[in-house]
């Protein structure tokens, strides 16, 4: 079997997605997701200009060898653009292999370890009453666990939840002291309204120092969080030592990581409880499965990043992995617009707050190329965040 063509499809059915379609001489095709929010054109160009020419004529069944040659052969390793591009190839090749086998991908990853994949959804509001309504809405959607984000008095926007828009980044504002005062009150209100059983999560979006994060973790202990996510900037693994020493609030991290090396200290010193990387940004199904197996030795579980900017192709890959691995924790599922579901018709289902990959061979996702072409790429950026005095802060 040989790869005879590979094309990059950029489409914006409500938001941008980058999809790689790999075609073989036997007519079997595979899809991979390389969507990099706000930097989509870079991932698309990396694929088109530097990877597609290398794929033509190669054997799609040699997934590990292809991965290693793209990773090591480039000499310039790691980084989100490179790893999103390699992820799309790896995912497309797994899709092809599973289609040739006539099996849903999870069967090639070891088979089902559970009946279905549990999720969490997003609730947010500018103030507590609006937030409580949002939690009620997510519960009505069937979500068994809820991420809670809330407005901070004095700040213009609910932080960390703005979707990417426009030709220039939107500027948001931030005040760490006000945030640290507000969030425990928010969780107190949510617990009072919904009781002790509902699993609650919170994303600090890399905005705190280790000391601030330690204090927040301690302050949130009475509210028994499922996790506190990205409490400090993720580049500094050592910072998590301080956080861990001071709080038993479970910690999740890793949505911006792209190789196992970003996790080395965090995993071997058991500084976190959940690894957050997505197939799409971590080099594909192959390295993410290896990360989960590594993390399992330290009783750390999976929690794959699943915002709107992971396409249904990347989401399907996550669901297959989540069904197969032993140390599954939870799957983030922000969902997609109806138009996105039409551009990417898929076998996976979301029922009663749980995902199932379905029984279609491969990933079980198609691409309606005509509909995709009718919704072309639109320039778009994530927001930039500034303190009250104008200093740029982490977003
Ligand atoms: O592109 C950035 C988003 O994916 C990110 O802001 C979402 O933090 C996020 C999450 O936990 O889903
Ligand atoms: Mg996050």
């Amino acid at each position: 079997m040989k790869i005879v063509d590979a094309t990059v499809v950029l489409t914006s059915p409500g938001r941008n997605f980058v999809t790689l379609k790999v075609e073989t001489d036997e007519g079997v095709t595979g899809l991979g997701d390389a969507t990099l929010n706000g930097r989509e054109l870079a991932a698309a160009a990396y694929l088109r200009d530097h990877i597609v020419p290398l794929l033509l004529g190669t054997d799609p069944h040699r997934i590990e060898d292809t991965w290693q040659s793209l990773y090591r052969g480039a000499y310039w390793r790691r980084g989100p653009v490179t790893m999103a591009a390699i992820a799309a190839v790896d995912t497309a090749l797994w899709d092809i292999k599973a289609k040739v086998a006539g099996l849903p991908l999870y069967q090639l990853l070891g088979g089902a370890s559970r009946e279905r994949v549990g999720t969490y959804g997003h609730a947010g509001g500018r103030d507590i009453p609006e937030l409580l309504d949002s939690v009620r809405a997510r519960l009505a959607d069937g979500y068994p666990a809820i991420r809670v984000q809330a407005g901070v008095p004095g700040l213009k926007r609910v932080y960390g939840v703005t979707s990417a828009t426009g030709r220039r980044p939107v500027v948001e504002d931030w005040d760490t002291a006000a945030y640290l005062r507000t969030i425990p009150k928010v969780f107190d209100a949510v617990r009072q309204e919904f009781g002790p059983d509902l699993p609650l999560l919170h994303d600090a979006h890399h905005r705190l120092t280790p000391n601030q994060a330690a204090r927040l973790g301690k302050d949130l202990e009475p509210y028994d969080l499922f996790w506190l996510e990205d409490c400090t900037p993720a580049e500094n693994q050592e910072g998590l030592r301080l956080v861990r020493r001071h709080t038993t609030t479970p910690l999740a991290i890793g949505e911006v990581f792209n190789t196992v090396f970003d996790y080395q200290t965090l995993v071997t010193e058991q500084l976190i409880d959940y690894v957050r990387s997505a197939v799409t940004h971590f080099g594909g199904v192959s390295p993410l499965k290896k990360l989960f197996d590594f993390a399992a030795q330290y009783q750390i579980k999976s929690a794959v990043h699943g915002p709107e900017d992971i396409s249904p192709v990347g989401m399907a890959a996550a669901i297959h992995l989540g069904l197969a691995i032993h140390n599954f924790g939870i799957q983030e599922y922000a969902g997609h617009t109806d138009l996105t579901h039409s551009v990417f018709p898929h076998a996976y289902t979301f029922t009663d707050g749980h995902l199932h990959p379905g029984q279609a061979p491969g990933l079980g996702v198609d691409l309606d190329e005509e509909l995709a072409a009718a919704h072309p790429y639109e320039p778009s950026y994530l927001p930039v965040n500034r303190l009250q005095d104008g200093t740029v802060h982490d977003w």
Side-chain angles (χ1 to χ4, degrees):
M1 200 176 202
K2 277 191 176 15
I3 295 173
V4 291
D5 202 3
T7 44
V8 181
V9 176
L10 261 166
T11 180
S12 187
R15 62 154 311 104
N16 291 317
F17 295 112
V18 182
T19 310
L20 177 70
K21 179 179 174 186
V22 176
E23 295 178 53
T24 63
D25 56 350
E26 294 181 20
V28 182
T29 60
L31 297 178
D33 179 24
T35 306
L36 192 57
N37 201 2
R39 295 293 184 272
E40 295 87 354
L41 298 180
Y46 194 108
L47 277 167
R48 232 181 245 142
D49 299 340
H50 298 296
I51 286 190
V52 167
L54 304 179
L55 291 180
L56 301 180
T58 64
D59 178 356
H61 282 301
R62 296 184 62 173
I63 300 175
E64 183 66 19
D65 184 66
T66 302
W67 194 95
Q68 297 295 346
S69 74
L70 293 176
Y71 180 77
R72 293 173 200 281
Y75 186 65
W76 308 108
R77 297 179 189 183
R78 307 169 68 186
V81 175
T82 301
M83 300 312 287
I86 296 177
V89 176
D90 182 84
T91 308
L93 299 191
W94 276 109
D95 192 18
I96 290 169
K97 192 183 277 296
K99 282 180 183 165
V100 171
L103 293 169
L105 176 60
Y106 71 84
Q107 295 289 14
L108 272 59
L109 302 174
S113 286
R114 58 195 49 77
E115 300 303 319
R116 55 192 188 155
V117 167
T119 69
Y120 72 90
H122 295 178
R126 277 164 302 183
D127 53 25
I128 287 175
E130 200 177 284
L131 168 67
L132 297 181
D133 283 347
S134 176
V135 174
R136 271 181 218 107
R138 293 294 82 75
L139 290 173
D141 293 339
Y143 283 103
I146 315 278
R147 186 188 81 165
V148 167
Q149 306 296 109
V152 173
L155 300 187
K156 290 190 218 68
R157 292 168 178 270
V158 182
Y159 83 93
V161 294
T162 315
S163 44
T165 47
R167 288 178 175 272
R168 305 284 304 173
V170 168
V171 178
E172 296 191 352
D173 55 347
W174 182 246
D175 178 343
T176 302
Y179 165 81
L180 289 174
R181 283 193 302 273
T182 302
I183 294 304
K185 291 182 203 150
V186 166
F187 276 89
D188 190 55
V190 174
R191 277 287 175 233
Q192 280 191 36
E193 182 72 14
F194 298 99
D197 294 336
L198 179 62
L200 297 175
L201 304 81
H202 181 67
D203 190 348
H205 241 253
H206 320 285
R207 291 177 184 211
L208 307 177
T209 64
N211 197 46
Q212 292 163 344
R215 176 179 146 199
L216 181 63
K218 272 168 82 163
D219 288 351
L220 291 176
E221 278 171 23
Y223 310 111
D224 190 21
L225 264 61
F226 187 92
W227 80 41
L228 171 61
E229 175 183 339
D230 286 343
C231 59
T232 63
E235 298 91 321
N236 179 10
Q237 296 186 39
E238 290 79 6
L240 270 293
R241 289 189 187 129
L242 189 146
V243 184
R244 195 62 150 178
R245 269 202 297 276
H246 290 283
T247 181
T248 55
T249 292
L251 302 172
I253 210 158
E255 66 184 47
V256 302
F257 292 178
N258 42 68
T259 72
V260 68
F261 301 107
D262 300 317
Y263 281 106
Q264 211 161 24
T265 305
L266 300 179
V267 169
T268 55
E269 296 187 21
Q270 292 183 284
L271 300 180
I272 55 172
D273 302 279
Y274 296 91
V275 293
R276 289 275 296 139
S277 293
V279 170
T280 308
H281 304 130
F282 202 74
V285 172
S286 305
L288 199 56
K289 172 78 165 63
K290 291 176 193 173
L291 172 70
F292 292 150
D293 292 342
F294 171 47
Q297 312 312 309
Y298 299 87
Q299 293 172 286
I300 295 169
K301 293 189 173 183
S302 76
V304 174
H305 191 212
E308 300 87 342
D309 45 291
I310 298 293
S311 88
V313 176
M315 183 54 63
I319 301 167
H320 283 276
L321 266 169
L323 201 71
I325 57 169
H326 177 249
N327 57 330
F328 170 77
I330 199 165
Q331 172 64 50
E332 181 182 27
Y333 182 62
H336 291 109
T337 62
D338 289 344
L339 185 56
T340 299
H341 290 302
S342 306
V343 170
F344 298 95
H346 52 77
Y348 70 77
T349 50
F350 176 67
T351 315
D352 297 332
H354 291 74
L355 290 157
H356 196 286
Q359 298 302 344
L363 287 171
V365 184
D366 286 324
L367 174 63
D368 182 333
E369 288 181 69
E370 232 170 85
L371 193 55
H375 300 278
Y377 167 78
E378 290 178 16
S380 179
Y381 287 91
L382 281 158
V384 166
N385 195 23
R386 290 184 185 273
L387 304 178
Q388 313 286 314
D389 71 354
T391 309
V392 172
H393 194 66
D394 296 288
W395 182 75

